[in-house]
Amino acid sequence: MKIHPPGSAGRPEGMIAVVDAAARGKTQGLLKVLPFAVMVAVALADILAGRGLGLLPLLALGPAFAGIACDVRTTALTGAIAVSLCLLLGVYTGSVHTLRVQVALGAIVGVTLASALASAGRMGYERRLAEVRNVAEAAQRVLLRPVPRRAGPGIGVAVSYTSAAAEARIGGDLYEIVTRPKGGVRIIVGDVQGKGLEAVETAAVVLGAFREAAHDEAELPGIVARLEKALARHLSGEQFVTVVLAEVIDEKEISMVNCGHPGPLVLRGDGTQFLADPPEEAPPLGLLSLEPDPPVPYRVPFAPGDQILFYTDGVIEARDPAQRFYPLTSRTHLLAGKDPQAALDDLRADLLRHVGRPLGDDAAMLLLRRRAPEYGTAA
């Protein structure tokens, strides 16, 4: 199930959604034609086979298939057509008063009633599902607000979010960028333990606390303390949230604090790459009280031409049908495009091709690019 970054309409990811919708529409169209095609095929086969074979009960396949994709009215109409065909074929073969035709008519009427009831139930479910999707999309716009395409002078931003909850469209992964009025850009990317609505609620707590602390706190450890305090009032038991916080501090470096999260992938302008793991491991949020000392910020190169890819474990732990993990570090050539969002969309599409089915976990990615002359103004 695909999630588009808020405000990404018109980008390649949006085009993928249009193609998916078109494919679903084509399938629905075929399902709606199928009942009538089946009845025509049964009628022709019965005429060619004669009275001995007895294919008339198969006309009940028409309303049965109609109940899968059509509304109640169309299903009932399909049943009426099947009854009419059964009577006409009985008259044509001179067997309208035989037990075989009467049984066929009873079967068609019974299947039509059952299919109409099933269609009514399915349509009610689809209406409720559409309402849930609308609520989820509204929640997504509140939880994961649109991020700017630029974060400070010469820094391009791209985001991608794919939820494992196909019908809910949102999950426990989170990201945010805050530009401070006095200058400076602060970023958070995180992953809430667990799934479902409880994970979404926890993600909302983290993002709300970060949006406030990112403006108020002078240093990243202060933000971490605020997040830990907010979660202490919310989490229970041994639940936790892994996060990586970052702050662009000058034109050559970026400062990070990592609390149990996968290290961001740094792509240097000279073609080299490395994982920006912290010098010392720190527990996730919710478990920081287990350590006597707070996590220590560390600096990572971020010069013109460099890129930093933040991601959640749903990316690196995604497996193909052969249970092979997604080889993120060998796919970084996909991020070489001039437009950061288009490049990240290509990486996401490659991830979905690798898996070949709905993801087993939410997958969020946030790409920062420091503009270099070869990228022009795309960043």
Side-chain angles (χ1 to χ4, degrees):
M1 173 72 205
K2 190 161 38 232
I3 291 292
H4 308 298
S8 66
R11 297 175 188 159
E13 201 169 61
M15 294 301 296
I16 294 174
V18 172
V19 173
D20 288 347
R24 289 193 297 270
K26 184 177 181 180
T27 301
Q28 288 294 319
L30 291 175
L31 287 175
K32 290 179 179 180
V33 173
L34 181 61
F36 303 100
V38 167
M39 289 190 296
V40 170
V42 170
L44 291 176
D46 188 76
I47 292 173
L48 295 175
R51 298 181 57 180
L53 193 56
L55 297 177
L56 292 181
L58 293 180
L59 288 171
L61 290 174
F65 287 141
I68 297 175
C70 301
D71 56 23
V72 177
R73 183 175 180 179
T74 303
T75 301
L77 176 62
T78 305
I81 294 174
V83 169
S84 300
L85 281 174
C86 185
L87 291 173
L88 289 173
L89 290 171
V91 172
Y92 176 77
T93 58
S95 59
V96 69
H97 297 297
T98 63
L99 180 62
R100 179 174 69 90
V101 175
Q102 301 303 317
V103 170
L105 287 171
I108 294 171
V109 172
V111 170
T112 299
L113 291 175
S115 298
L117 290 174
S119 176
R122 175 180 53 79
M123 292 183 65
Y125 170 77
E126 290 177 351
R127 283 193 296 269
R128 292 191 296 272
L129 182 58
E131 293 174 358
V132 169
R133 285 175 171 170
N134 290 335
V135 172
E137 288 173 353
Q140 180 196 358
R141 289 192 293 269
V142 174
L143 183 64
L144 300 177
R145 301 183 304 192
V147 300
R149 293 297 302 272
R150 291 182 176 86
I155 299 177
V157 181
V159 294
S160 172
Y161 192 109
T162 307
S163 175
E167 304 303 344
R169 301 196 178 189
I170 53 178
D173 287 4
L174 57 97
Y175 58 81
E176 181 63 289
I177 293 181
V178 172
T179 302
R180 306 179 73 192
K182 296 181 180 180
V185 177
R186 287 175 167 174
I187 302 105
I188 185 172
V189 174
D191 185 1
V192 178
Q193 177 204 26
K195 300 178 182 179
L197 293 178
E198 185 177 1
V200 174
E201 183 181 359
T202 302
V205 171
V206 174
L207 287 174
F210 173 77
R211 287 162 182 161
E212 292 293 330
H215 287 288
D216 300 338
E217 297 295 332
E219 303 291 341
L220 291 181
I223 300 178
V224 173
R226 290 272 292 271
L227 297 181
E228 180 72 7
K229 185 177 180 180
L231 282 174
R233 297 190 295 265
H234 174 76
L235 296 180
S236 61
E238 296 183 354
Q239 293 177 311
F240 60 85
V241 182
T242 68
V243 297
V244 57
L245 290 87
E247 180 178 19
V248 179
I249 53 178
D250 56 37
E251 295 182 356
K252 295 183 179 180
E253 290 183 316
I254 186 170
S255 178
M256 296 186 185
V257 170
N258 193 320
C259 298
H261 199 77
L265 182 59
V266 180
L267 310 174
R268 303 302 308 276
D270 60 9
T272 61
Q273 63 183 43
F274 64 91
L275 291 173
D277 291 319
E280 297 182 6
E281 294 290 336
L285 297 178
L287 303 177
L288 284 177
S289 59
L290 301 177
E291 289 288 331
D293 300 320
V296 178
Y298 60 101
R299 295 191 175 191
V300 174
F302 188 41
D306 292 349
Q307 301 185 85
I308 300 180
L309 178 66
F310 300 85
Y311 54 90
T312 58
D313 58 10
V315 176
I316 55 176
E317 294 181 0
R319 303 191 189 203
D320 65 6
Q323 297 302 302
R324 293 171 296 193
F325 291 109
Y326 182 65
L328 177 62
T329 55
S330 66
R331 295 292 198 271
T332 54
H333 62 278
L334 297 171
L335 297 175
K338 290 186 176 180
D339 180 68
Q341 187 62 55
L344 191 60
D345 290 339
D346 290 340
L347 182 65
R348 178 189 176 279
D350 184 70
L351 170 67
L352 295 179
R353 283 193 298 269
H354 173 84
V355 176
R357 59 185 183 277
L359 295 180
D361 193 8
D362 303 328
M365 293 183 285
L366 187 150
L367 179 67
L368 290 185
R369 175 183 290 176
R370 179 88 75 173
R371 187 174 61 208
E374 61 267 30
Y375 289 126
T377 60

